[in-house]
Amino acid sequence: MKVTLATRLSGTMGEGATHWLRRPFVPRPKKWTPRWKGPLTRPIFRRSVSSSAGESNDVKATAASAMAATTAFKGAKSSRWRRFVLKPFVFVQFFFGIGLLAIALKQFRRKNTHPAQSPELIAKDWEILYYRIIPFRAISRAWGWLTNCHLPVWARRPLLGLYARTFNCNLDEAKDGNLDNYSCLAEFFRRKLKNGVRPIDSASAVVAPSDGTVLNFGRVTAGMMEQVKGVSYSLGEFLGPAYWRNGPEVQPAGQTELEYEKSLLVNKDNDLFHCVIYLAPGDYHCFHSPVDWTVNFRRHFPGALLSVNPSIAKWVAGLFSLNERAVYVGRWKHGFFSMTPVGATNVGSIRVYTDEKLRTNCTKWALPLPYYDRYMGPTETDSDEIPLHKGEIFGEFNLGSTIVLIFEAPKDFEFKIRPGEKIRMGQPLHVTGSSVKQEAAAH
């Protein structure tokens, strides 16, 4: 007979005292507890197995468990949002702000060490690239949504009145001077004027297309134009390939800027001229036809929406070639004529009344190509050409922007404006024959 330890101890300790020695040792499994008790690892609703007397306790326990699971899930979601969204955003914005501050300080030092109109004051390529990182297009769409929000009647007079006083809007010229009748800020931007407050000069062949400030004007030289004094941009980059006469064709390889300029002329004895007009936020925001002409081509560049403020125009070379713009090309009595409304920050919306197909300030995914052409010339069945008369309304901006005129004229064409001069729509832009005779007689 095999004697075990339990048998030996039973005589002295008794049978009941040694029962634990006869049990086989079975290790208890560890209960796995998840680190995060979310709704996927912990059931919210449990099946009740208690009697009817304990149903209320089970309901309370189930509700408490559901609340705990919901709280844990929200906490985890908030933690992930902070980790993957908020912290990187704050990190990027911090260094982005430091970069902009460094650019501003560098530009301030340049102004103190270099004379005005020095090439050293123009932004470098890396500075322009850094500046373009700012999401101006998204900001402009958000601003457009905000300005189109309906204003309650009680808020219209204080808000619109504050805007009018800030930007010196002349309400006496508005067709509707009652601020309570404008349902939103965008409607006030696009306000129409009374008849007769902008008379069209009949003696001048070219009149101002809008209210604004003259940034620059003059003759196109070797395919280059001045956006402000001392800062130039390319005619070819601004207009794009010149194939609007005979349909799409490949631009000649190695074509110089001067050859591009000459290719636009209908009469080789003429020259190309340009004029840049800046519309401030308080100006009349509609633009009109400056001459009698016919539009037969439109090219839409869905570019950036950088600010076109004169201070930025002095800093960024080729600013108008970077921004979104709609180039309208046609003919007038002297040959080639082009009128281009240029978009800007918070002014992505460019509307042309006779071109309903134009869509501006869209996402890059909606308009991925560098530019989009529309031919309006006569066809066998129909013609989309747009005949425009001098002073006829053409389109409108939201807030303020820039109009660029490029046209062909005789070599003796002379402007009657000065850089920085405030002009009004309809006033003459060039010296007429009678004006030349009067000036000659005065001398």
Side-chain angles (χ1 to χ4, degrees):
M1 180 177 180
K2 190 174 181 179
V3 180
T4 62
L5 179 61
T7 306
R8 292 178 181 179
L9 294 176
S10 63
T12 59
M13 298 179 63
E15 186 69 21
T18 60
H19 67 89
W20 56 275
L21 294 173
R22 296 194 298 271
R23 287 184 178 178
F25 175 74
V26 180
R28 297 182 63 183
K30 284 187 176 182
K31 185 178 179 182
W32 178 78
T33 304
R35 296 179 64 185
W36 173 64
K37 297 181 181 181
L40 299 179
T41 60
R42 181 175 180 179
I44 296 178
F45 300 104
R46 296 180 178 179
R47 188 176 178 181
S48 177
V49 295
S50 60
S51 62
S52 59
E55 286 182 358
S56 60
N57 294 331
D58 290 343
V59 171
K60 292 180 180 179
T62 303
S65 176
M67 290 180 62
T70 304
T71 304
F73 177 74
K74 288 182 178 180
K77 186 176 180 181
S78 176
S79 177
R80 282 183 294 175
W81 185 83
R82 289 192 185 96
R83 180 179 178 184
F84 296 109
V85 178
L86 183 60
K87 287 184 178 179
F89 179 78
V90 173
F91 182 79
V92 170
Q93 292 298 314
F94 173 77
F95 284 98
F96 187 73
I98 292 295
L100 288 180
L101 181 61
I103 293 176
L105 292 176
K106 192 175 183 66
Q107 188 68 11
F108 179 75
R109 291 183 61 185
R110 287 175 187 164
K111 287 186 176 181
N112 289 338
T113 55
H114 297 281
Q117 302 176 8
S118 172
E120 293 296 328
L121 300 179
I122 301 176
K124 306 299 185 290
D125 291 340
W126 69 270
E127 293 175 326
I128 297 175
L129 180 62
Y130 199 91
Y131 180 55
R132 294 183 66 180
I133 294 176
I134 303 176
F136 286 114
R137 187 170 291 275
I139 293 172
S140 298
R141 284 196 296 271
W143 174 255
W145 172 84
L146 181 64
T147 57
N148 281 280
C149 289
H150 181 80
L151 293 175
V153 178
W154 58 268
R156 295 175 186 176
R157 189 169 292 276
L159 292 179
L160 299 181
L162 176 63
Y163 179 89
R165 290 190 299 272
T166 302
F167 296 104
N168 298 319
C169 302
N170 190 353
L171 296 180
D172 295 333
E173 296 179 341
K175 193 172 185 179
D176 188 356
N178 187 2
L179 297 179
D180 293 335
N181 294 334
Y182 296 98
S183 62
C184 60
L185 191 57
E187 199 173 296
F188 180 71
F189 293 156
R190 303 186 299 265
R191 64 192 180 276
K192 300 299 185 291
L193 300 182
K194 296 177 182 177
N195 295 329
V197 296
R198 294 291 185 274
I200 308 300
D201 189 278
S202 58
S204 177
V206 184
V207 299
S210 64
D211 291 6
T213 303
V214 178
L215 290 186
N216 215 325
F217 61 89
R219 197 182 306 266
V220 179
T221 305
M224 300 298 292
M225 304 178 293
E226 280 191 332
Q227 62 188 30
V228 292
K229 191 67 174 177
V231 182
S232 300
Y233 62 107
S234 168
L235 175 66
E237 291 181 359
F238 183 77
L239 296 179
Y243 52 62
W244 40 73
R245 283 190 237 173
N246 302 318
E249 60 186 29
V250 179
Q251 189 171 354
Q255 186 182 34
T256 64
E257 294 289 349
L258 180 59
E259 292 172 345
Y260 180 87
E261 175 190 342
K262 297 300 181 183
S263 69
L264 300 182
L265 296 175
V266 177
N267 186 349
K268 301 305 179 182
D269 294 330
N270 292 339
D271 282 341
L272 279 182
F273 297 85
H274 72 99
C275 180
V276 183
I277 301 172
Y278 167 70
L279 286 75
D283 289 329
Y284 170 54
H285 287 73
C286 294
F287 48 90
H288 298 241
S289 174
V291 297
D292 295 323
W293 65 307
T294 301
V295 181
N296 50 40
F297 180 83
R298 183 257 290 162
R299 175 171 289 153
H300 174 213
F301 290 86
L305 288 175
L306 309 179
S307 173
V308 293
N309 188 278
S311 59
I312 301 296
K314 294 177 182 178
W315 181 56
V316 179
L319 174 63
F320 303 140
S321 299
L322 297 175
N323 272 12
E324 182 170 19
R325 59 197 181 277
V327 179
Y328 286 89
V329 177
R331 294 282 191 93
W332 74 311
K333 65 180 183 179
H334 293 299
F336 174 83
F337 194 92
S338 171
M339 178 175 177
T340 304
V342 182
T345 306
N346 299 334
V347 201
S349 177
I350 302 173
R351 182 188 174 193
V352 176
Y353 298 141
T354 53
D355 187 8
E356 297 296 334
K357 296 181 181 180
L358 178 65
R359 294 290 182 271
T360 59
N361 197 14
C362 299
T363 62
K364 287 294 184 182
W365 295 275
L367 298 174
L369 299 180
Y371 55 83
Y372 295 84
D373 294 339
R374 182 191 173 193
Y375 295 91
M376 304 175 181
T379 61
E380 295 180 358
T381 58
D382 194 9
S383 175
D384 291 333
E385 289 185 338
I386 306 174
L388 293 170
H389 299 288
K390 184 173 61 177
E392 182 179 352
I393 191 167
F394 191 25
E396 65 186 19
F397 287 114
N398 276 334
L399 200 58
S401 193
T402 302
I403 295 287
V404 178
L405 302 179
I406 303 172
F407 55 91
E408 178 181 350
K411 293 182 182 295
D412 59 352
F413 183 91
E414 294 183 23
F415 283 97
K416 195 182 178 180
I417 49 179
R418 299 184 307 274
E421 179 184 353
K422 289 285 291 183
I423 61 174
R424 292 158 63 115
M425 192 278 294
Q427 80 174 62
L429 291 184
H430 84 290
V431 179
T432 60
S434 59
S435 300
V436 173
K437 292 180 182 179
Q438 290 176 2
E439 292 178 1
H443 290 289

